[in-house]
């Protein structure tokens, strides 16, 4: 009997043809932008290789994330079933089968007959999938094949904090700037990924023998790290990337899918080239400083400062007796102490205040422990709460802070004291960094993303996945369908606002509501959140003679804490 | 002050929420947690430092997996153990 399995994955299409359970053909073609065409090509090559007449190929079973995209399949089988089938066929003693694909990962627990007892899947977040390694090799400027062997030469285990592909890239770049040997970074990447895979598998319970399949099973670096993490031996098929296709070919339970042909138009993506051969950086936002007019630092009793070193932007606020006097906002460099020094220096520039006249400095933000001149580090939550109360007054009850690498939902009472909060820094969806990735992809300057997204007559449905990695692929496919950039941005901003709204509901939304952080400047997000919560953001008070910047909330809060702590020290 | 440890990603929402004002660091939750994800640490409430139960940093981004077994068995040990009623837990998977 002849049966064919086709695995239409996120990166590659794999075909396995069996003749009486013997493999007679094995082909792989990149999925590219047109999964349907790639599937046809892989199938054609497979038939050619098998030497069988095309009329003999009657049973074609599809699996994989894009299984529905092939019009040739006579049936389809879920990935979970396919890997259980293949795992127990290749290793009869297999009881746990782990499959790590390019954009997802899953594990199944099988009984001695190869039936599925339980399974767990990670298909909504790209961390823990092959995409993580791919992105990190790009950041390290290494070939995929090189990184594995390189990681084996590591002499030190360094922890990696990022749990998201997008943040992982920034973290690797930082490590490179700190001159960490590439060998050690490579190992850190694998260790981080193994940790996620093993957390997933542990939830299922580990029963020997354990089989690892999918393209990443060829990566010696990952296999070595995962073995260490799980503390067991892993069984790996000879060509692990074909295992799912083999499983599909071996599956006899068929579920008919309708024949359909999908044709997609070609898409012109911005190449980020401004015509001068220089890549334009669409994500770049302007840095600036300001001194409030009409205030005299010589008359001040207490000068304090707050430095908020965020993942993307560094902010410094200088206050005279608890009133904002000058500030600076600039991009965070690769080194937190330098960023802190530079931003404070810039905030003081031209004010005539020498640094030693500042009585107390509090550091906050992502890099707060690395602010050398700070007497104390305080979490950004406390600082944003207090800063928001200063900016908008005591009416503020709910604060949403959308920073470069995290989102915080904070509830405060009328004294600016925090009653409830959460910080989501696991996932880039909705953060400033996530927006930068999309702005770069669509070649729309970051400051214009919001306005662009509002140029649609009616909001399109939100992109279906919140993961930035998946949203990127989804954005490309929407453009291919003929959507305008405005529509794609509207769809993306729609999904991100929905996500922020859900975080807000966790702490409870009560009037007055305000948004701080870099994304408070994204009108496309702010307008949509207002629509979701059913009322408008509290406007900035008009009593000041200057334009207040809500991105400063953390730094202002830190400067106010500085004053309180200084006075406490003085015994007042 | 209620601190929500955990996250929400594409797969669902997963939190362990601890009320730092109610908590008196009695260790009951630490003893009962089968995954050992809770410890005592300093938390700043306004400008005062207080010793309270917190979720270990290493576990804050993997609650989907670490707290999965308790939620599956509908026996949330930390929540049950706390004599002050200071702990709440959420574990909701989104179905595509």
């Amino acid at each position: 009997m002849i049966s064919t399995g086709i695995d239409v994955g996120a990166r590659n299409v794999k075909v396995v043809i069996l003749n009486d359970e013997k493999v007679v053909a094995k082909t792989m073609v990149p999925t590219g932008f047109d999964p349907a065409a790639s599937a046809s090509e892989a199938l054609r090559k497979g038939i050619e290789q098998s030497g069988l007449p095309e009329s003999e190929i009657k049973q074609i079973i599809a699996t994989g994330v894009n299984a529905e995209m092939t019009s040739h399949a006579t049936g389809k089988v879920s990935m979970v079933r396919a890997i259980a089938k293949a795992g127990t066929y290749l290793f009869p003693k297999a009881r746990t089968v782990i499959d790590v694909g390019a954009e997802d990962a899953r594990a199944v627990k099988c009984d001695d007959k190869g039936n599925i007892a339980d399974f767990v899947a990670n298909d909504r977040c790209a961390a823990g999938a092959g995409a993580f390694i791919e992105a990190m090799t790009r950041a390290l400027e290494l070939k995929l094949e090189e990184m594995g062997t390189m990681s084996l030469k590591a002499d030190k285990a360094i922890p990696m904090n990022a749990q998201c592909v997008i943040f992982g890239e920034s973290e690797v770049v930082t490590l490179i700037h700190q001159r960490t040997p590439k060998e050690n970074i490579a190992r850190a990447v694998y260790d981080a990924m193994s940790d996620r895979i093993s957390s997933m598998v542990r939830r299922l319970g580990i029963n020997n023998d354990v089989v690892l399949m999918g393209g990443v099973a060829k990566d010696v670096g990952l296999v070595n790290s995962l073995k260490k993490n799980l503390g067991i031996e892993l069984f790996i098929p000879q060509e692990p990337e074909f295992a799912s296709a083999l499983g599909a070919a071996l599956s006899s339970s068929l579920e008919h899918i309708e024949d359909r042909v999908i044709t997609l138009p070609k898409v012109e993506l911005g190449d980020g080239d401004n015509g001068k051969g220089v890549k334009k950086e669409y994500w770049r936002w302007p840095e600036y400083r300001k001194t409030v007019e009409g205030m005299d630092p010589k008359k001040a009793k207490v000068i304090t400062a707050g430095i908020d070193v965020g993942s993307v932007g560094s902010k410094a606020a200088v206050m005279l007796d608890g009133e904002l006097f000058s500030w600076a906002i600039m991009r965070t460099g690769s080194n937190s102490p330098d960023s802190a020094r530079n931003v404070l220096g810039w905030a003081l520039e031209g004010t005539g205040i020498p640094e030693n006249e500042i009585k107390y400095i509090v550091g906050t933000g992502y890099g707060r422990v690395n602010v050398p001149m700070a007497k104390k580090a305080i979490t950004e939550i406390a600082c944003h709460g207090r800063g928001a109360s200063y900016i908008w007054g005591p009416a503020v009850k709910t604060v949403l802070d959308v920073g470069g690498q995290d989102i915080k939902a904070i509830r405060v009472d009328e004294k600016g004291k925090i009653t409830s909060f959460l910080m989501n820094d696991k996932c880039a969806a909705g953060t400033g960094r996530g927006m930068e990735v999309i702005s770069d992809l669509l070649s729309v300057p970051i400051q214009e993303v919001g306005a662009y997204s509002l140029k649609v007559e009616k909001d399109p449905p939100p992109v279906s996945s919140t993961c930035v990695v998946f949203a990127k692929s989804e954005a490309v496919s929407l453009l291919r369908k003929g959507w305008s950039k405005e529509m794609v941005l509207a769809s993306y901003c729609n999904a991100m606002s929905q996500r922020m709204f859900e975080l807000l509901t966790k702490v409870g939304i009560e009037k007055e509501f305000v948004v701080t952080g870099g994304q408070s400047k994204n009108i496309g997000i702010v307008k949509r959140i207002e629509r979701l919560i059913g009322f408008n953001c509290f406007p900035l008070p008009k009593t000041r003679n200057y334009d207040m910047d809500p991105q400063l909330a953390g730094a202002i809060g830190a400067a106010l804490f500085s004053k309180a702590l200084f006075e406490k020290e003085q015994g007042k | 002050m209620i601190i929500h440890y955990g996250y929400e990603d594409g797969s669902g929402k997963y939190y362990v929420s601890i009320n730092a004002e109610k908590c008196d660091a009695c260790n009951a939750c630490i003893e009962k947690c089968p995954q050992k994800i809770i410890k005592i640490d300093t938390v700043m409430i306004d400008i005062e430092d207080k010793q309270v139960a917190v979720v270990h940093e290493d576990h804050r981004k993997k609650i989907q997996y670490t707290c999965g077994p308790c939620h599956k068995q509908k026996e949330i040990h930390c929540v049950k153990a706390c004599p002050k009623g200071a702990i709440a837990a959420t574990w909701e998977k989104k179905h595509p």
Side-chain angles (χ1 to χ4, degrees):
Chain A
M1 198 188 87
I2 295 157
S3 64
T4 304
I6 179 163
D7 171 14
V8 193
R11 292 287 186 283
N12 292 297
V13 181
K14 283 83 60 178
V15 167
V16 169
I17 303 179
L18 296 177
N19 193 351
D20 288 331
E21 297 214 345
K22 276 208 182 64
V23 177
V24 292
K26 232 187 293 193
T27 51
M28 183 155 83
V29 165
T31 308
F33 282 131
D34 193 346
S38 309
S40 307
E41 193 195 336
L43 210 52
R44 186 182 51 74
K45 282 190 175 166
I47 297 167
E48 232 171 69
Q49 201 186 89
S50 72
L52 293 162
E54 207 177 322
S55 57
E56 290 280 314
I57 312 289
K58 289 193 184 108
Q59 205 178 37
I60 302 172
I61 298 151
T63 192
V65 287
N66 292 317
E68 259 107 79
M69 301 290 270
T70 169
S71 53
H72 306 282
T74 56
K76 71 166 183 179
V77 65
S78 71
M79 283 298 275
V80 175
R81 260 180 216 283
I83 65 161
K85 200 89 192 166
T88 48
Y89 172 81
L90 295 165
F91 301 96
K93 281 203 244 158
R95 295 294 171 269
T96 309
V97 183
I98 310 168
D99 171 53
V100 184
E103 290 191 349
D104 53 8
R106 60 192 64 72
V108 286
K109 199 153 100 183
C110 321
D111 64 11
D112 49 1
K113 293 181 194 77
N115 296 317
I116 298 168
D118 199 0
F119 75 93
V120 57
N122 169 18
D123 54 358
R124 304 275 134 191
C125 171
F132 187 76
I133 300 181
E134 268 181 22
M136 300 315 130
T137 52
R138 276 198 299 273
L140 279 164
E141 294 174 342
L142 288 175
K143 286 199 191 103
L144 212 49
E145 315 80 78
E146 290 172 336
M147 194 160 86
T149 41
M150 190 173 245
S151 76
L152 301 179
K153 292 181 202 136
D155 56 13
K156 208 172 139 202
I158 43 171
M160 226 178 127
N161 193 34
Q163 301 271 340
C164 173
V165 174
I166 305 296
F167 298 157
E169 277 175 317
S170 336
E171 197 170 344
V172 164
V173 171
T174 308
L175 288 170
I176 295 170
H177 278 295
Q178 291 168 351
R179 301 181 190 279
T180 311
K182 281 193 179 180
E183 289 80 3
N184 294 354
I185 304 179
R187 172 163 170 196
V189 167
Y190 289 120
D191 287 350
M193 179 144 162
S194 305
D195 193 42
R196 275 189 290 277
I197 298 173
S198 78
S199 301
M200 177 183 80
V201 182
R202 284 213 171 92
R203 219 191 106 208
L204 204 62
I206 300 161
N207 291 344
N208 283 329
D209 293 347
V210 180
V211 176
L212 176 69
M213 53 175 69
V216 301
K218 287 197 299 190
D219 193 318
V220 287
L222 179 78
V223 172
N224 183 52
S225 168
L226 189 58
K227 269 186 197 168
K228 265 194 238 159
N229 194 311
L230 289 169
I232 50 161
E233 191 49 47
L234 290 173
F235 292 85
I236 295 160
Q238 241 174 17
E239 286 173 293
E241 65 274 37
F242 287 102
S244 306
L246 173 71
L250 289 165
S251 303
S252 48
S253 54
L254 303 183
E255 195 186 309
H256 186 73
I257 58 165
E258 278 171 44
D259 283 5
R260 54 175 150 167
V261 183
I262 299 155
T263 46
L264 296 164
K266 230 184 140 205
V267 131
E268 291 296 331
L269 263 185
D271 56 0
D273 194 317
N274 62 2
K276 289 176 198 146
V278 182
K279 197 178 179 331
K280 197 170 165 197
E281 292 169 314
Y282 289 96
W283 47 261
R284 230 174 233 289
W285 43 266
E287 305 176 314
Y288 79 102
R289 76 163 304 286
K290 191 179 169 79
T291 305
V292 175
E293 281 168 31
M295 288 173 82
D296 186 0
K298 291 198 178 67
K299 288 183 187 152
K301 285 190 208 82
V302 186
I303 303 175
T304 59
I307 304 175
D308 176 5
V309 181
S311 61
V312 174
S314 291
K315 286 82 61 179
V318 178
M319 289 184 124
L320 309 181
D321 299 320
E323 290 301 328
L324 185 61
F325 171 62
S326 72
W327 71 83
I329 300 181
M330 60 200 288
R331 266 194 98 81
T332 300
S334 56
N335 170 320
S336 295
D338 283 347
S339 303
R341 250 177 241 121
N342 293 342
V343 76
L344 180 64
W346 204 23
L348 291 174
E349 200 179 284
T351 60
I353 305 174
E355 202 184 304
N356 59 16
E357 260 182 41
I358 302 174
K359 301 284 189 222
Y360 206 106
I361 299 176
V362 163
T364 189
Y366 169 85
R368 64 178 174 273
V369 288
N370 285 316
V371 178
M373 53 292 224
K375 260 199 180 163
K376 198 174 165 76
I378 296 181
T379 65
E380 52 267 49
I381 307 284
C383 293
H384 273 276
R386 190 159 286 212
S389 283
Y390 175 86
I391 297 175
W392 284 276
V396 172
K397 295 285 180 330
T398 315
V399 182
L400 175 72
D401 172 55
V402 190
Q405 290 210 1
D406 59 32
I407 299 177
K408 305 169 203 84
I410 310 166
R411 282 290 301 274
V412 290
D413 64 14
E414 52 291 327
K415 290 177 197 115
K417 214 181 135 204
I418 289 150
T419 55
S420 174
F421 74 84
L422 69 83
M423 174 163 105
N424 196 328
D425 60 352
K426 184 204 171 255
C427 171
T431 63
R433 183 74 196 102
M435 279 294 165
E436 289 179 356
V437 170
I438 299 296
S439 103
D440 230 21
L441 176 81
L442 297 176
S443 304
V444 173
I446 190 86
Q447 305 100 300
E448 289 166 37
V449 162
Y452 257 74
S453 80
L454 292 174
K455 280 191 211 157
V456 293
E457 269 174 40
K458 194 173 160 270
D459 248 14
V463 288
S464 62
S465 35
T466 39
C467 176
V468 177
V469 177
F470 299 159
K472 247 172 101 174
S473 344
E474 203 173 335
V476 172
S477 82
L478 288 173
L479 290 171
R480 297 170 50 79
K481 276 190 194 160
W483 284 37
S484 62
K485 282 183 185 178
E486 288 82 354
M487 293 253 290
V488 174
L489 282 174
S491 171
Y492 184 74
C493 288
N494 202 350
M496 296 308 123
S497 316
Q498 182 66 42
R499 183 182 145 74
M500 294 175 203
F501 174 66
E502 280 170 28
L503 291 176
L504 281 169
T505 55
K506 182 82 198 156
V507 297
I509 309 161
E510 199 189 335
K511 269 186 184 176
E512 300 293 345
F513 166 73
V514 298
V515 187
T516 63
Q519 286 297 307
S520 62
K521 294 169 186 172
N522 184 335
I523 183 91
I525 292 288
V526 174
K527 285 274 174 237
R528 287 181 175 86
I529 293 179
E530 286 179 345
R531 235 177 267 164
L532 286 165
I533 61 177
F535 54 85
N536 288 351
C537 289
F538 196 43
L540 282 167
K542 293 199 174 69
T543 48
R544 295 188 175 98
N545 63 346
Y546 58 90
D547 289 328
M548 178 56 95
D549 188 336
Q551 206 179 345
L552 280 175
I556 291 177
L560 288 170
F561 272 118
S562 297
K563 184 169 176 274
L565 288 164
F566 174 73
E567 284 166 356
K568 197 179 154 193
E569 248 184 32
Q570 303 292 305
K572 280 180 196 169
Chain B
M1 182 170 71
I2 304 162
I3 308 172
H4 304 274
Y5 299 99
Y7 57 91
E8 195 177 329
D9 64 10
S11 68
K13 46 177 105 172
Y14 317 96
Y15 292 103
V16 172
S17 307
I18 301 177
N19 189 323
E21 265 138 340
K22 283 190 187 170
C23 174
D24 59 1
C26 74
N27 280 309
C29 55
I30 297 176
E31 282 156 26
K32 288 283 156 63
C33 173
Q35 303 284 339
K36 302 279 165 236
I37 68 163
I38 308 177
K39 62 170 183 179
I40 300 293
D41 206 350
T42 314
V43 162
M44 211 173 87
I45 301 178
D46 208 30
I47 57 168
E48 304 300 330
D49 288 338
K50 187 185 173 188
Q51 292 291 109
V52 291
V54 304
V55 173
H56 204 285
E57 292 84 359
D58 295 351
H59 287 283
R60 288 179 194 171
K61 292 172 189 174
K62 337 189 241 213
I63 288 184
Q64 178 188 0
Y65 300 119
T66 34
C67 297
C70 279
H71 286 272
K72 226 173 178 177
Q73 291 157 12
K74 297 200 167 60
E75 177 90 19
I76 324 295
H77 296 283
C78 56
V79 175
K80 237 173 115 180
C82 181
K84 304 271 176 184
I87 308 181
T90 309
W91 198 94
E92 284 168 28
K93 241 181 127 78
K94 245 181 251 169
H95 293 282

